Coordinates of all heavy atoms in Angstrom, one line a residue:
C287 N 0.8 -1.3 0.0 CA 0.0 0.1 0.0 C 0.8 1.2 0.0 O 0.3 2.4 -0.1 CB -0.9 0.0 1.2 SG -0.1 0.2 2.8
K288 N 2.2 1.1 0.1 CA 3.1 2.3 0.1 C 3.1 3.1 1.3 O 3.7 4.1 1.4 CB 2.9 3.2 -1.1 CG 2.8 2.5 -2.5 CD 4.1 1.7 -2.7 CE 4.1 0.9 -4.1 NZ 5.2 0.1 -4.3
K289 N 2.4 2.6 2.4 CA 2.5 3.4 3.6 C 3.9 3.3 4.2 O 4.5 2.3 4.3 CB 1.5 2.7 4.7 CG 1.4 3.3 6.0 CD 0.7 4.7 6.0 CE 0.6 5.3 7.4 NZ -0.1 6.6 7.3
I290 N 4.3 4.5 4.7 CA 5.7 4.6 5.2 C 5.7 4.5 6.7 O 4.9 5.2 7.4 CB 6.4 5.9 4.8 CG1 6.6 5.9 3.2 CG2 7.7 6.1 5.5 CD1 7.0 7.2 2.7
H291 N 6.5 3.6 7.2 CA 6.7 3.4 8.7 C 8.0 4.0 9.0 O 9.0 3.6 8.6 CB 6.7 1.9 9.0 CG 5.3 1.2 8.7 ND1 4.9 1.1 7.4 CD2 4.4 0.6 9.5 CE1 3.8 0.4 7.4 NE2 3.4 0.2 8.7
G292 N 7.9 5.1 9.8 CA 9.2 5.8 10.2 C 9.3 7.0 9.2 O 8.5 7.4 8.5
L293 N 10.5 7.6 9.4 CA 10.8 8.8 8.5 C 11.7 8.4 7.4 O 12.8 8.0 7.5 CB 11.6 9.8 9.4 CG 11.9 11.2 8.8 CD1 10.7 11.9 8.4 CD2 12.8 12.0 9.7
K294 N 11.2 8.6 6.2 CA 11.9 8.2 5.0 C 12.9 9.3 4.6 O 12.5 10.5 4.5 CB 10.9 7.9 3.8 CG 11.6 7.5 2.5 CD 10.5 7.2 1.4 CE 11.2 6.8 0.1 NZ 10.2 6.5 -0.9
L295 N 14.1 8.9 4.3 CA 15.1 9.8 4.0 C 15.7 9.4 2.6 O 15.7 8.2 2.3 CB 16.3 9.9 5.0 CG 15.9 10.3 6.4 CD1 17.1 10.2 7.3 CD2 15.3 11.7 6.4
G296 N 16.1 10.3 1.8 CA 16.7 10.0 0.5 C 18.2 10.1 0.4 O 18.8 10.2 1.5
T297 N 18.8 10.1 -0.7 CA 20.2 10.1 -0.9 C 20.6 11.3 -1.9 O 21.7 11.2 -2.5 CB 20.7 8.7 -1.5 OG1 20.0 8.5 -2.8 CG2 20.3 7.6 -0.6
C298 N 19.8 12.3 -2.0 CA 20.2 13.4 -2.8 C 21.5 14.0 -2.4 O 21.7 14.3 -1.2 CB 19.1 14.4 -2.9 SG 19.5 15.9 -3.8
P299 N 22.5 14.3 -3.3 CA 23.7 14.9 -2.9 C 23.4 16.4 -2.4 O 22.3 16.9 -2.7 CB 24.5 15.0 -4.2 CG 23.9 13.9 -5.1 CD 22.5 13.8 -4.7
G300 N 24.3 17.0 -1.7 CA 24.1 18.3 -1.2 C 24.0 19.3 -2.3 O 24.6 19.2 -3.4
G301 N 23.3 20.4 -2.0 CA 23.2 21.5 -2.9 C 22.4 22.7 -2.3 O 22.4 22.8 -1.1
E302 N 21.8 23.5 -3.2 CA 21.1 24.6 -2.7 C 19.7 24.6 -3.3 O 19.5 24.3 -4.5 CB 21.8 26.0 -3.0 CG 23.1 26.2 -2.4 CD 24.2 25.5 -3.3 OE1 24.1 25.6 -4.5 OE2 25.2 25.0 -2.7
M303 N 18.7 25.0 -2.5 CA 17.3 25.2 -2.9 C 17.0 26.7 -2.5 O 17.2 27.2 -1.4 CB 16.3 24.3 -2.2 CG 14.9 24.6 -2.5 SD 13.8 23.6 -1.5 CE 12.2 24.1 -2.2
E304 N 16.5 27.4 -3.5 CA 16.0 28.8 -3.2 C 14.7 29.1 -3.9 O 14.4 28.3 -4.9 CB 17.1 29.8 -3.6 CG 17.5 29.7 -5.1 CD 18.6 30.7 -5.4 OE1 18.8 31.7 -4.7 OE2 19.3 30.5 -6.4
Y305 N 14.0 30.0 -3.5 CA 12.7 30.3 -4.1 C 12.4 31.8 -3.9 O 12.8 32.5 -3.0 CB 11.6 29.5 -3.5 CG 11.4 29.6 -2.0 CD1 10.6 30.5 -1.4 CD2 12.2 28.7 -1.3 CE1 10.6 30.6 0.0 CE2 12.2 28.8 0.2 CZ 11.3 29.7 0.8 OH 11.3 29.8 2.1
W306 N 11.5 32.4 -4.9 CA 11.1 33.7 -4.8 C 9.8 33.9 -5.5 O 9.4 33.0 -6.3 CB 12.2 34.6 -5.4 CG 12.5 34.4 -6.8 CD1 12.0 34.9 -8.0 CD2 13.6 33.4 -7.3 NE1 12.6 34.4 -9.1 CE2 13.6 33.5 -8.7 CE3 14.5 32.6 -6.6 CZ2 14.4 32.8 -9.5 CZ3 15.4 31.9 -7.4 CH2 15.3 31.9 -8.8
T307 N 9.1 35.0 -5.3 CA 7.8 35.2 -6.0 C 8.1 36.1 -7.2 O 9.0 36.9 -7.3 CB 6.9 35.9 -5.0 OG1 7.5 37.2 -4.6 CG2 6.6 35.0 -3.8
L308 N 7.2 36.0 -8.2 CA 7.1 36.7 -9.4 C 5.7 37.3 -9.5 O 4.7 36.7 -9.2 CB 7.4 35.8 -10.6 CG 8.8 35.1 -10.7 CD1 8.7 34.1 -11.7 CD2 9.8 36.0 -10.8
P309 N 5.7 38.6 -10.1 CA 4.3 39.2 -10.2 C 3.5 38.6 -11.4 O 2.3 38.7 -11.4 CB 4.7 40.7 -10.5 CG 6.1 40.6 -11.1 CD 6.7 39.5 -10.5
E310 N 4.2 37.9 -12.3 CA 3.5 37.4 -13.5 C 2.7 36.2 -13.1 O 3.1 35.4 -12.2 CB 4.4 37.0 -14.6 CG 5.2 38.2 -15.2 CD 6.4 38.6 -14.4 OE1 6.7 37.9 -13.4 OE2 7.1 39.6 -14.8
S311 N 1.5 36.0 -13.7 CA 0.7 34.8 -13.5 C 1.0 33.7 -14.4 O 1.5 33.8 -15.5 CB -0.8 35.2 -13.7 OG -1.2 36.2 -12.8
L312 N 0.7 32.5 -13.9 CA 0.8 31.3 -14.7 C -0.5 31.0 -15.4 O -1.5 31.4 -14.9 CB 1.1 30.1 -13.8 CG 2.5 30.1 -13.1 CD1 2.5 29.1 -11.9 CD2 3.6 29.7 -14.1
P313 N -0.4 30.5 -16.6 CA -1.6 30.1 -17.4 C -2.6 29.3 -16.5 O -2.1 28.2 -15.9 CB -1.2 29.3 -18.6 CG 0.2 29.8 -18.8 CD 0.8 30.1 -17.4
G314 N -3.8 29.7 -16.4 CA -4.8 28.9 -15.5 C -4.8 29.5 -14.1 O -5.7 29.0 -13.3
H315 N -4.0 30.4 -13.8 CA -3.9 31.0 -12.4 C -3.8 32.5 -12.5 O -2.9 33.1 -11.9 CB -2.8 30.4 -11.6 CG -2.9 28.9 -11.3 ND1 -3.7 28.4 -10.3 CD2 -2.3 27.9 -11.9 CE1 -3.6 27.1 -10.3 NE2 -2.8 26.7 -11.3
S316 N -4.7 33.1 -13.3 CA -4.6 34.5 -13.5 C -5.0 35.4 -12.3 O -4.8 36.6 -12.3 CB -5.7 34.9 -14.7 OG -7.0 34.5 -14.3
D317 N -5.4 34.8 -11.2 CA -5.8 35.6 -10.1 C -4.7 35.7 -9.1 O -4.9 36.3 -8.0 CB -7.0 34.9 -9.3 CG -6.7 33.4 -8.9 OD1 -5.7 32.8 -9.5 OD2 -7.4 32.9 -8.0
C318 N -3.5 35.3 -9.4 CA -2.4 35.4 -8.5 C -1.1 35.4 -9.2 O -1.0 35.2 -10.4 CB -2.4 34.3 -7.5 SG -2.1 32.7 -8.2
G319 N 0.0 35.8 -8.5 CA 1.3 35.8 -9.1 C 1.9 34.4 -9.1 O 1.1 33.4 -8.9
S320 N 3.2 34.2 -9.1 CA 3.7 32.9 -9.2 C 5.0 32.7 -8.3 O 5.5 33.8 -7.8 CB 4.1 32.5 -10.6 OG 5.0 33.4 -11.2
I321 N 5.4 31.5 -8.1 CA 6.6 31.2 -7.3 C 7.6 30.5 -8.1 O 7.2 29.5 -8.9 CB 6.2 30.3 -6.1 CG1 5.2 31.0 -5.2 CG2 7.5 30.0 -5.2 CD1 4.5 30.1 -4.1
C322 N 8.8 30.9 -8.1 CA 9.9 30.2 -8.8 C 10.8 29.5 -7.8 O 11.2 30.0 -6.8 CB 10.7 31.1 -9.6 SG 12.1 30.3 -10.5
V323 N 11.0 28.2 -8.0 CA 11.8 27.3 -7.1 C 13.0 26.9 -7.9 O 12.9 26.4 -9.1 CB 11.1 26.1 -6.6 CG1 11.9 25.4 -5.6 CG2 9.7 26.5 -6.1
R324 N 14.2 27.1 -7.3 CA 15.4 26.8 -8.1 C 16.3 25.8 -7.2 O 16.5 26.1 -6.1 CB 16.2 28.1 -8.4 CG 17.6 27.9 -9.1 CD 18.2 29.3 -9.4 NE 19.4 29.2 -10.1 CZ 20.6 29.1 -9.5 NH1 20.7 29.1 -8.2 NH2 21.7 29.1 -10.3

């Protein structure tokens, strides 16, 4: 059933994650701006 018992951790190498907001809207979401994740 894919139920996880305990805290599942991965093996992704180290790096950076950052994010910021943009005033432009995404198609289908004209009522708000957007978020970029890098």
Side-chain angles (χ1 to χ4, degrees):
C287 68
K288 308 305 179 185
K289 179 72 175 177
I290 294 173
H291 298 65
L293 183 64
K294 181 178 180 179
L295 302 176
T297 59
C298 175
E302 299 86 37
M303 173 188 181
E304 56 185 339
Y305 53 91
W306 58 91
T307 58
L308 300 169
E310 295 85 2
S311 297
L312 293 163
H315 295 279
S316 59
D317 57 340
C318 64
S320 55
I321 302 168
C322 180
V323 187
R324 180 179 181 269

